[in-house]
Amino acid sequence: MKIVRGIGELQLSGEIGLVPTMGALHDGHVALLRAARTENELVVASLFVNPAQFDEQADLAAYPRDEERDAAIAAAAGVDVLFAPSAEELYPAGFATWVDPGEAGGEGASRPGHFRGVATVCLKLFNIVRPRRAYFGQKDAQQAAVIRRLVRDLNLDVAIRVVPIVRDADGLALSSRNGRLSAEERAQALALPRALAEGASAADPVAATRAALNGLAPDYVELVEIGGATVLAAAVRVGSTRLIDNVLLKGELS
Ligand code: PAJ
């Protein structure tokens, strides 16, 4: 696996699969990398903690960074090229052009500016890497919906694949933020996947999820359309950690 930092050093050829990440790789990311490996000649993963998408500076500062560990995981998953640029490489002095992705549900409302940063960096990565396919997780359902809409609205020539959520044995969706939970908080957090599972089979999924959250206060519980599929999505705070999760209600993700 080659690690590349400069845009000019990326000399890529063949049918490319791109997996954008911010590092702190876990088995959820690995599922995306494996999916890319099975479908493409060349797999490129990006490793970039994108300052533009953090609405809280403390969150950016606290984001876990361990490139050596991430590189070992990416190499083991069959990545050919790890693109790990500096912030200056992607946002040089004078950078001023942003993608406004429009309305983005409860997640967009809870995190002002977040999806503008996500959409901008993903469009830049698509233009830099020129992938045939790009891989996103169902875990971030609103993000997947925003990226699908970006591709459609701006006529981008890339297929967006959405990979199902990878969970721990207890049902909690894998996330780099789970490491911040105390044992007690983690036990409380399990109400989130349980409530969504209960909501998914109820007549009123949103109301049933809210009722089953066991005291966890939701930022939102809502339906999100991703392409032809509908997921039931929620965000909650457990202590100072914000967690999101969702379950498929209708249709198929691909
Ligand atoms: P990051 O949080 O590192 O996630 C990278 C990708 O992994 C996203 O598409 C996310 O949905 C997926 N992912 C995370 N946890 C997952 C899980 N448990 N199961 C399946 N997939 C999972 O999302 C971002 O980075 C950034 O916003 C990015 C797209 C890289 C733009 O900066």
Side-chain angles (χ1 to χ4, degrees):
M1 186 184 76
K2 213 171 136 186
I3 301 182
V4 175
R5 297 184 197 285
I7 295 167
E9 293 146 48
L10 271 177
Q11 272 140 16
L12 307 170
S13 61
E15 213 174 57
I16 299 168
L18 170 67
V19 182
T21 84
M22 299 205 298
L25 301 184
H26 50 61
D27 285 349
H29 299 104
V30 170
L32 273 58
L33 297 172
R34 294 230 170 94
R37 184 68 282 167
T38 60
E39 288 190 304
N40 301 277
E41 282 164 27
L42 197 80
V43 175
V44 178
S46 60
L47 171 53
F48 180 63
V49 182
N50 176 30
Q53 72 184 72
F54 284 83
D55 38 320
E56 288 172 25
Q57 286 312 301
D59 209 18
L60 172 62
Y63 208 83
R65 290 173 174 84
D66 186 344
E67 185 181 300
E68 216 175 299
R69 180 179 170 278
D70 289 337
I73 293 170
V79 172
D80 298 300
V81 177
L82 185 65
F83 178 50
S86 65
E88 295 71 35
E89 185 73 3
L90 289 195
Y91 300 107
F95 182 92
T97 308
W98 298 94
V99 178
D100 174 1
E103 187 282 327
E107 192 61 19
S110 303
R111 306 182 68 187
H114 172 67
F115 286 115
R116 178 175 103 137
V118 169
T120 302
V121 83
C122 287
L123 178 58
K124 286 171 68 70
L125 290 168
F126 295 162
N127 283 330
I128 292 165
V129 175
R130 301 267 162 194
R132 177 82 289 278
R133 302 177 190 86
Y135 296 80
F136 292 85
Q138 178 194 339
K139 164 82 188 342
D140 297 273
Q142 190 62 59
Q143 171 168 278
V146 162
I147 298 299
R148 280 245 160 101
R149 190 169 64 189
L150 167 78
V151 165
R152 189 200 61 188
D153 289 354
L154 299 186
N155 307 96
L156 306 181
D157 190 18
V158 56
I160 302 303
R161 297 275 197 261
V162 180
V163 176
I165 301 178
V166 177
R167 298 178 181 281
D168 254 330
D170 60 7
L172 195 65
L174 295 187
S175 165
S176 61
R177 293 174 179 212
N178 294 353
R180 300 185 202 165
L181 300 170
S182 68
E184 194 188 331
E185 286 172 338
R186 184 168 176 116
Q188 290 169 352
L190 292 179
L192 175 59
R194 285 179 190 150
L196 287 166
E198 211 167 303
S201 56
D204 183 342
V206 170
T209 303
R210 282 186 174 276
L213 274 172
N214 217 3
L216 289 182
D219 273 1
Y220 62 83
V221 180
E222 67 184 10
L223 304 183
V224 177
E225 305 288 328
I226 315 176
T230 307
V231 302
L232 171 64
V236 297
R237 264 180 209 276
V238 185
S240 58
T241 307
R242 187 171 181 279
L243 299 176
I244 62 172
D245 198 354
N246 67 84
V247 288
L248 186 63
L249 279 192
K250 263 196 308 207
E252 267 178 48
L253 295 157
S254 60

